[in-house]
Amino acid sequence: MLYYSGYTRRIGDVDDGSTVTDFLPAERARGITIQSAAITFHWPPAKVENRAALGAIGKPAVPLSHGVEPHTVNLIDTPGHADFTFEVLRSLRILDGAVCILDGVAGVEAQTEKVWYQAATYKIPKIIYVNKLDRDGAAFGKTTKEIASKLHTWPAVCQIPWFESGNGRFVGIVDIVKLKALRWPDGGDGKTIKTMGLDELEALEPKLTETARRARTALIELLGEFDDLIIEKYLECNEDHMAILAEDITAALRRCLLGQKNLVPVFAGASFRNIGVQPLLDAVISLLPSPEESLDPEISVGGMRGGLRQTIQGTMALTKTDVPSKAKHAVSSKKSSSATIAKLESCALAFKVVNDSKRGVLVYVRVYHGVIHRNSILFNTNLQVSERVPRLLEMYASDAVEVASLSAGQIGVIVGLKSARTGDTLLVYTGANPKSGPPAPLNTFQLRPIEVPPPVFFASIESQSLSEEQSVANSLALLLREDPSLQLSVDEDSGQTLLSGMGELHLEIARDRLVQDFKAKASMGKIEIGYRECILTPAGPVTALFDRETAGRSGKAACTASVGPLVEISTDNKVVQSYTTFQQDGNVINVYLIRSTDQETESHSSSTSIPSHLSETIIRTALQNGVLTALARGPQHSFALHSTHVSITLDLSTQIFGTDTTPSALTSAARLATQAALKQSFLKVSTVLMEPVMNVIISTDEDSLGPVVHDLSSSRGGHIVSLDDADIVSAAGSSGQTRDDVSLIDLRRVYSPPDPFDVTSTLAEDEVSMASNGNRPRTITARVPLKEMVGYLKHLRSLTGGRGTFVMTVDRFERMGSQREKAVLKDMRGI
C-alpha cells in the first residue's frame, strides 16, 4: 500500500524483515508483527507538490478509481499472533474501519475468529481480503464458505480470482461490481495492470466469464436481502442483474456496512506477487466510513452517557447511569452542563504509550473532536492533571514528521507527556485553569476506555543483585506503562515478583525489551508454587512457659495450646471468661481467657487478674501473633500450615506474672506452645501437603470439547464443574446477539466460486450441520491444581487448534494424594 501510494521506493517483505511497519529488531528476526504501527498516506495518491511536505519519496501508482479526490488514510498494522491480542484490542478501539486479511490456503484461522468478534464489540465496519491465492492449495471458494460458517456473516463476493485456464497460475482478478477483469504481468511491481471487459474476457476464459456472471447475480440477490434501494435499481433495469450500475452496487455495499448489516464484502489477491492491492485500496476509500460517518463515539460525563457529536451539538440529551452520588451531583443543571460542554475545544483518546530511546515518551492519540495545537494545555480527566503539549508528530512507522496540529479523525503522537497512560481521555478546554482543569461536569468527561484482558501466563522476574532492584523496578514501571496487558504482582508465600501476560512469546518479548532496550539487569524464571501443610490428628493441650530476659528486661508468661484439623477442642472444666475466634490464611484460632471455677465474680476477677499495663485486646492480639508465627512454618516440610484449628488458652489467675508479663512475652509463650503441639501431632501422624487449586473457565469450540475435558480430568488431575454454552458476541453484535443466534446461515445459500481442482461443488446436509454445530462455542468450568496450569496456554492452543482461551482465579487449597505428594516432593528436591 505504501509503495503504490508513493511513500516508499521499494516493496517490503515480511519474511525478509524489510517491511516499513515491522521495524523492531524482534519483529524482523522472527518475521512477525509484535506491536501495532501507525502510518499515514494518501489514496488516490496526492499530487507530487502536495506530497513533498509529507515525506513522499516514491512514484505513486495510478488508481483504478479515476477522478477521486485524494483521501488521507491512517493505517494501523496490527499483530496476528494470539499473544499480542491487546495490541489489536487497543487499535480496534480507535479505528473507523478494518481490513481483515485471510490466508487463502489456511482459510479462517483461530485468531481471526477471536479478533473478528472483538471488532464486533466496537461495531467496526469490515471488509475481507483473501490473500496468498498464488500458493499451492489456495481455495477462495472454500475460504468464502468458512467466512459464513466460522465468522457467521454473509460473504458478499466482490471479486473472484483469475486462474489461468481455470486451474493454472493465479494471474489476476475479476471485479464483479464493475464487471471488469484485471490482469497483472508476471514479475512486475504491480503498477502495470491490463483491464478488459467481460466480452473480451469471454474470448480468453469462457468458464471464468460464466462464473463472473453467476457471481454478479449472487451479489445482487444477497444485497437485495439487506438493502431496499438496490431492489428498486434491479426493477428499474428490468430485472437484469448485469445492467445495474457499479455506482449503485457500491452505494448499496456502503449502506450495508454503515448500517451494521450482517454482511461483509470479500476481495481477492496475492500481495507477494503484487496482485490485487490497488483495487483493495479503492475499496477502502469507497466502502469504509470517514470519521464523520463512523458511529458516534460513546462518552460519559458526570455519570451520564451519550454520543460525543450529538452531545456537543445539543441534539441528544445524556442519559443517567448507575454511578456514585458524587458523579451524579456533578451534573446539577442541564443548561449549565450543555453550555460547559459546548466550550470543549478538542478531545482525544490516548491508546498507546511508547518509550523511544531518542524522542522520549511518545503518546499515540486519536483525535475525536476539534484540533489539538502545539503548546496547548491538555487536561487528563482520568488522572485529573494538566500537561502542556511540547511537540506533535505524524508517524510513519518508526519515522515521524513534526506537525503544528492534529485535527479530528487524525492519529498522531504527542511527545513528552509525563502522566498519560493507555485509555486516558485528554481535553482542551477554552479558558480552563491549568491547575484545576475545566469546570464540572467536564472534568469527568471520558471517552470509552480500552479494556485490558486478564493475563494467562506467568513467570518470575528478579534483579541480578540487590543494588539493581530499584533500577529494575523503574524499568518495569516503564514497561507496564507501555503495555497494560502486562501485570506485576508479588507472591506472598515465595516472595517472588511475578510478571504475567498474554502468553509465553509475550513475556519473552517483554524480557528482551527489559534487558536490551531498558538495560535492566534482570532474569526471568519459573514461578514457585506456594504449598501448605496440614496436620491430620489433634494434639495437646500443651503448656509452655516463657521466662527469659530480653534487651535487659525480664519477660515471663505461660499459656496452653491445642491443635487439630479444624475440629473443636475442649477446654475441660475451665470457665470461659472471654472467647474470640480469628480466621486467617485458612486457619482458625480460638483465644480463651479463663479463670478457675473457685474465683470470685467475673467483674472482680477481671479487675484483679489483669495487670494495669495489659488489656484483653492487647492479650488477644499478642496471643494471636504468637500462633500465626508458629503456623508460618510446618513441622515436617516447613511449609505454612493450612486448615488447622488452634485453641490457645490463658489462665488469667495462674499464667500472668504481674509486670513481667509483657505483650512480647505472651507472643513468645503462644508461639512455643503452638509449636510444641504441632510437633506432638506430627509425631503421631505425618502431615500432608496441600496445593492451591484454581477455578478455571475455558472457552473452546464444540469439536475440541472432548480432548480438553479429557486432558483436564485425566492428565492434570482436575475436576470438571460444569459444561455450558458460551455467550460470545458475534459480528451482528449491534443487537447483542450471541454466536448461536447467527449460526443459522445455510451454507448451501452462500455463493462461492469453484476452486481449482475442487472435487465437490456443494455441501451435503450433514456437512452443513457439522460445520454449524462443530463451531458452537462451549465453556468448561473446572478446578485444577495450579502446578498443572503453569504453561497450560500453549498446550490448550495445541489441543484446540489455537481457538481455546482461559481465565483462572484462586479457588482454595486441597489435600494431595500420596502419589501426587511424592511426585511434587521429588520435583522440588530435584531428584
Side-chain angles (χ1 to χ4, degrees):
M1 290 183 175
L2 302 180
Y3 176 71
Y4 296 131
S5 62
Y7 282 95
T8 57
R9 292 193 181 97
R10 58 177 177 79
I11 300 176
D13 183 12
V14 175
D15 297 329
D16 295 339
S18 58
T19 57
V20 175
T21 53
D22 295 334
F23 55 86
L24 292 179
E27 292 178 315
R28 296 186 171 179
R30 289 175 168 85
I32 61 172
T33 301
I34 292 173
Q35 72 170 14
S36 56
I39 194 164
T40 302
F41 65 92
H42 292 76
W43 188 264
K47 294 181 180 180
V48 174
E49 58 268 19
N50 295 333
R51 293 186 298 110
L54 299 173
I57 56 176
K59 183 179 179 182
V62 178
L64 298 176
S65 299
H66 297 285
V68 179
E69 288 296 322
H71 290 71
T72 300
V73 179
N74 290 300
L75 172 69
I76 295 184
D77 178 30
T78 59
H81 198 284
D83 281 14
F84 308 108
T85 184
F86 180 69
E87 284 291 323
V88 181
L89 276 176
R90 63 176 167 190
S91 299
L92 288 174
R93 168 61 187 85
I94 52 92
L95 292 179
D96 295 324
V99 179
C100 177
I101 302 176
L102 301 182
D103 188 327
V105 179
V108 177
E109 298 178 86
Q111 184 64 8
T112 305
E113 296 180 52
K114 186 184 301 182
V115 174
W116 185 269
Y117 295 116
Q118 289 169 346
T121 62
Y122 295 111
K123 302 178 182 179
I124 298 175
K126 303 173 285 292
I127 63 177
I128 289 179
Y129 175 64
V130 182
N131 193 21
K132 301 182 181 180
L133 292 175
D134 58 321
R135 295 191 176 184
D136 293 338
F140 181 82
K142 174 177 169 289
T143 303
T144 303
K145 292 285 187 183
E146 289 186 356
I147 292 171
S149 64
K150 295 183 178 181
L151 302 183
H152 303 278
T153 187
W154 288 92
V157 178
C158 298
Q159 294 174 355
I160 60 174
W162 180 354
F163 294 99
E164 201 169 37
S165 302
N167 54 14
R169 57 191 175 88
F170 179 61
V171 295
I173 60 172
V174 179
D175 191 327
I176 303 304
V177 176
K178 298 178 180 178
L179 295 178
K180 291 182 179 180
L182 308 175
R183 178 165 182 159
W184 280 259
D186 292 338
D189 61 359
K191 290 184 177 180
T192 304
I193 307 172
K194 182 179 181 181
T195 305
M196 62 185 75
L198 288 190
D199 294 337
E200 186 179 353
L201 177 66
E202 190 168 18
L204 298 174
E205 302 280 357
K207 289 185 179 180
L208 179 62
T209 306
E210 182 60 30
T211 301
R213 291 194 174 99
R214 288 198 300 269
R216 182 45 139 22
T217 301
L219 178 61
I220 300 301
E221 295 292 335
L222 178 60
L223 286 173
E225 296 184 17
F226 297 95
D227 185 74
D228 294 334
L229 292 180
I230 198 68
I231 297 178
E232 295 179 9
K233 297 294 182 182
Y234 172 67
L235 296 175
E236 290 175 5
C237 295
N238 298 321
E239 301 184 4
D240 184 1
H241 299 88
M242 311 299 291
I244 301 177
L245 297 177
E247 292 78 7
D248 295 330
I249 298 176
T250 301
L253 288 167
R254 187 178 179 84
R255 285 192 296 271
C256 289
L257 285 180
L258 300 187
Q260 298 293 311
K261 304 296 183 182
N262 191 27
L263 172 148
V264 58
V266 182
F267 300 87
S271 298
F272 183 72
R273 294 187 55 198
N274 310 319
I275 297 177
V277 179
Q278 298 99 313
L280 177 64
L281 283 167
D282 290 340
V284 168
I285 299 301
S286 59
L287 296 181
L288 295 180
S290 65
E292 293 79 12
E293 296 169 316
S294 61
L295 291 175
D296 200 0
E298 182 183 340
I299 63 167
S300 64
V301 183
M304 314 286 278
R305 292 192 180 276
L308 173 62
R309 288 193 291 267
Q310 291 181 328
T311 302
I312 291 176
Q313 295 168 3
T315 58
M316 187 186 78
L318 294 167
T319 57
K320 288 186 178 181
T321 57
D322 294 331
V323 295
S325 57
K326 289 183 179 179
K328 289 185 178 180
H329 183 69
V331 187
S332 57
S333 169
K334 291 184 178 179
K335 292 184 179 179
S336 61
S337 298
S338 300
T340 302
I341 294 174
K343 293 182 180 180
L344 179 64
E345 189 174 324
S346 61
C347 68
L349 181 72
F351 68 94
K352 185 175 180 177
V353 179
V354 173
N355 290 283
D356 189 271
S357 58
K358 297 179 180 178
R359 303 185 183 96
V361 177
L362 307 180
V363 179
Y364 285 73
V365 298
R366 159 71 194 266
V367 183
Y368 281 96
H369 170 69
V371 180
I372 296 179
H373 297 280
R374 187 189 304 140
N375 294 324
S376 298
I377 300 294
L378 285 178
F379 182 74
N380 188 323
T381 59
N382 297 76
L383 301 176
Q384 297 291 304
V385 296
S386 296
E387 293 187 86
R388 185 175 295 276
V389 178
R391 295 172 62 199
L392 293 172
L393 302 178
E394 198 172 78
M395 296 303 296
Y396 299 92
S398 58
D399 298 324
V401 174
E402 189 160 351
V403 294
S405 62
L406 294 173
S407 58
Q410 279 192 291
I411 292 174
V413 164
I414 303 175
V415 182
L417 296 184
K418 297 179 180 179
S419 304
R421 309 160 305 174
T422 297
D424 284 355
T425 300
L426 308 174
L427 304 182
V428 177
Y429 179 77
T430 305
N433 188 319
K435 293 184 179 180
S436 61
L442 208 56
N443 58 350
T444 62
F445 180 102
Q446 286 191 4
L447 292 157
R448 181 178 178 178
I450 300 173
E451 297 179 1
V452 181
V456 294
F457 199 89
F458 307 84
S460 67
I461 187 164
E462 58 183 10
S463 59
Q464 295 179 358
S465 63
L466 288 175
S467 60
E468 297 291 336
E469 277 190 355
Q470 188 59 46
S471 174
V472 171
N474 295 337
S475 299
L476 284 170
L478 293 174
L479 190 64
L480 266 62
R481 187 186 178 193
E482 279 193 3
D483 188 355
S485 64
L486 290 170
Q487 295 185 18
L488 207 62
S489 60
V490 177
D491 189 284
E492 295 181 358
D493 299 323
S494 63
Q496 287 183 310
T497 300
L498 302 182
L499 184 66
S500 53
M502 305 309 298
E504 185 176 7
L505 182 59
H506 186 204
L507 293 190
E508 184 181 331
I509 296 297
R511 179 203 62 199
D512 292 346
R513 183 148 173 72
L514 191 67
V515 174
Q516 297 175 9
D517 296 348
F518 296 122
K519 308 301 180 184
K521 296 180 180 180
S523 57
M524 196 174 288
K526 294 182 179 180
I527 67 172
E528 293 181 6
I529 309 298
Y531 295 105
R532 298 287 190 271
E533 283 187 54
C534 176
I535 59 175
L536 296 178
T537 183
V542 177
T543 300
L545 173 65
F546 176 82
D547 187 3
R548 186 179 304 171
E549 187 175 307
T550 306
R553 183 178 178 182
S554 62
K556 186 176 182 180
C559 63
T560 303
S562 299
V563 298
L566 279 180
V567 294
E568 290 294 334
I569 302 175
S570 173
T571 57
D572 299 327
N573 59 347
K574 301 290 183 180
V575 178
V576 177
Q577 176 183 323
S578 179
Y579 164 72
T580 309
T581 298
F582 300 96
Q583 294 187 11
Q584 189 167 336
D585 298 330
N587 301 304
V588 175
I589 304 171
N590 289 344
V591 177
Y592 298 91
L593 302 183
I594 66 171
R595 67 179 186 275
S596 302
T597 55
D598 56 350
Q599 291 289 324
E600 297 180 7
T601 62
E602 179 178 323
S603 59
H604 177 71
S605 174
S606 178
S607 62
T608 58
S609 299
I610 301 178
S612 59
H613 67 284
L614 297 176
S615 65
E616 286 193 10
T617 302
I618 293 175
I619 292 173
R620 283 195 296 265
T621 302
L623 294 174
Q624 179 194 1
N625 291 338
V627 173
L628 290 175
T629 303
L631 293 176
R633 188 177 179 86
Q636 184 173 2
H637 302 293
S638 299
F639 290 113
L641 283 130
H642 193 278
S643 300
T644 302
H645 186 185
V646 180
S647 285
I648 196 80
T649 306
L650 178 68
D651 192 325
L652 297 174
S653 58
T654 62
Q655 293 180 329
I656 290 182
F657 304 93
T659 57
D660 287 344
T661 302
T662 61
S664 59
L666 287 169
T667 298
S668 298
R671 174 178 56 82
L672 293 174
T674 305
Q675 287 176 339
L678 290 172
K679 185 175 182 181
Q680 190 180 97
S681 174
F682 162 61
L683 294 175
K684 293 180 182 179
V685 180
S686 298
T687 63
V688 295
L689 279 185
M690 302 183 74
E691 63 181 340
V693 176
M694 311 301 288
N695 185 47
V696 184
I697 300 176
I698 301 173
S699 299
T700 183
D701 55 345
E702 183 82 27
D703 288 340
S704 305
L705 186 66
V708 173
V709 169
H710 180 268
D711 177 68
L712 288 174
S713 58
S714 61
S715 302
R716 301 184 181 274
H719 171 66
I720 306 299
V721 177
S722 65
L723 300 174
D724 305 306
D725 291 336
D727 184 20
I728 300 179
V729 177
S730 74
S734 56
S735 58
Q737 292 173 298
T738 64
R739 186 186 287 192
D740 286 340
D741 295 331
V742 293
S743 64
L744 300 178
I745 294 179
D746 188 348
L747 299 188
R748 290 165 297 189
R749 294 182 54 210
V750 175
Y751 173 77
S752 62
D755 292 320
F757 311 108
D758 189 14
V759 181
T760 58
S761 58
T762 59
L763 288 176
E765 291 187 11
D766 57 343
E767 291 177 311
V768 175
S769 177
M770 287 175 61
S772 177
N773 294 331
N775 247 350
R776 191 159 64 100
R778 300 296 298 274
T779 297
I780 305 167
T781 304
R783 285 197 293 267
V784 188
L786 173 60
K787 186 177 186 299
E788 302 299 332
M789 295 304 297
V790 176
Y792 178 65
L793 180 63
K794 182 186 290 186
H795 188 70
L796 178 63
R797 287 174 179 169
S798 175
L799 287 174
T800 61
R803 289 178 169 82
T805 59
F806 76 95
V807 293
M808 64 179 182
T809 55
V810 177
D811 185 30
R812 59 187 177 185
F813 280 85
E814 288 186 354
R815 294 181 183 179
M816 294 185 191
S818 58
Q819 294 298 322
R820 182 168 179 80
E821 181 177 333
K822 289 179 181 178
V824 168
L825 291 173
K826 182 178 179 180
D827 183 53
M828 285 191 295
R829 293 164 181 164
I831 300 176

